[in-house]
Amino acid sequence: SMGASTNVTRETMDALPSVVEAVRGRVPILLDSGIRSGADAFRALALGATAARVTRQIVIEGLTLAVAGAVIGLVVAKLSFGTIAALAPETIGRLDRLTLDPRPLAMSVAVTVGTGLLVGMIPGLALTRRKRRLTAGSRGDVSAGGARLRHALVIAEIALALVLVIGATLFSESLLRLRRVDVGFDPSRLLTFN
């Protein structure tokens, strides 16, 4: 099947009914400006998009962001090996052989994909539920409970990010202080066995 893709502007919105009339369902009409808010999703539904198609777009956007974040994290981890080797005491051997362990890497990939799917599916399911309510004639207002839950999740996310930043800062500072500790002997001429 074919489709036309364009940015949604006022002119596009005005021309849409005549385009839909001209193709009479033979060709799907795709308007892609991204789903940036709930209003964008409802606008797409009002223009004739199905909830499944809007949900698919939200899931794809969530997966794309999750994978991009994972790739950036992988690059930062790989580039940090040199920094770790430079900051570590000389008594720690085999730092030149630092690699990423495949098991935690596979777990990270699984968590990334799961998070991307979850981030996309939850708004999609909520959108489907709201569309059913609107179709049934009830008001489309967001419940106060849903708004409170979203606010609580945002606060929890900020608190968790703050804890992680503070923990990483304290760990880095402890590592730097550990390098300056007098071990009570000269480690430069020692050989360690494992």
Side-chain angles (χ1 to χ4, degrees), residues 83-165:
T83 306
I84 291 170
L87 292 176
E90 293 83 20
T91 57
I92 298 177
R94 295 194 243 166
L95 287 177
D96 56 335
R97 295 187 204 165
L98 282 176
T99 60
L100 293 173
D101 189 356
R103 289 173 295 180
L105 189 58
M107 181 65 182
S108 297
V109 168
V111 168
T112 297
V113 170
T115 301
L117 287 173
L118 189 66
V119 163
M121 289 302 289
I122 290 175
L125 293 173
L127 177 69
T128 304
R129 192 175 61 226
R130 286 187 192 138
K131 184 180 181 190
R132 272 194 237 124
R133 279 198 322 233
L134 286 174
T135 306
S138 65
R139 292 183 57 199
D141 295 340
V142 176
S143 67
R148 277 193 297 268
L149 177 64
R150 275 194 303 280
H151 286 105
L153 288 174
V154 168
I155 290 169
E157 182 180 8
I158 292 170
L160 182 61
L162 189 60
V163 167
L164 288 173
V165 167

Side-chain angles (χ1 to χ4, degrees), residues 5 12 16 24 46 54 62 81 84 95-96 99 102 109 119 125 132 137 139 148 153 168-170 175-177 190:
S5 178
T12 305
L16 186 62
R24 290 195 176 116
V54 173
F81 288 162
I84 291 170
L95 287 177
D96 56 335
T99 60
V109 168
V119 163
L125 293 173
R132 272 194 237 124
R139 292 183 57 199
R148 277 193 297 268
L153 288 174
T169 305
L170 290 173
L175 189 62
L176 289 173
R177 285 186 182 167
L190 286 180

Side-chain angles (χ1 to χ4, degrees), residues 12-109:
T12 305
M13 301 283 278
D14 292 340
L16 186 62
S18 59
V19 171
V20 170
E21 178 68 29
V23 298
R24 290 195 176 116
R26 293 176 298 212
V27 178
I29 308 295
L30 305 174
L31 298 173
D32 184 10
S33 66
I35 304 292
R36 290 177 286 282
S37 68
D40 289 338
F42 281 110
R43 186 178 303 123
L45 291 173
L47 290 171
T50 63
R53 194 172 288 235
V54 173
T55 300
R56 187 180 323 137
Q57 181 175 352
I58 294 171
V59 168
I60 289 170
E61 289 175 2
L63 276 174
T64 302
L65 288 173
V67 168
V71 168
I72 290 170
L74 184 62
V75 169
V76 168
K78 191 72 173 163
L79 293 175
S80 67
F81 288 162
T83 306
I84 291 170
L87 292 176
E90 293 83 20
T91 57
I92 298 177
R94 295 194 243 166
L95 287 177
D96 56 335
R97 295 187 204 165
L98 282 176
T99 60
L100 293 173
D101 189 356
R103 289 173 295 180
L105 189 58
M107 181 65 182
S108 297
V109 168

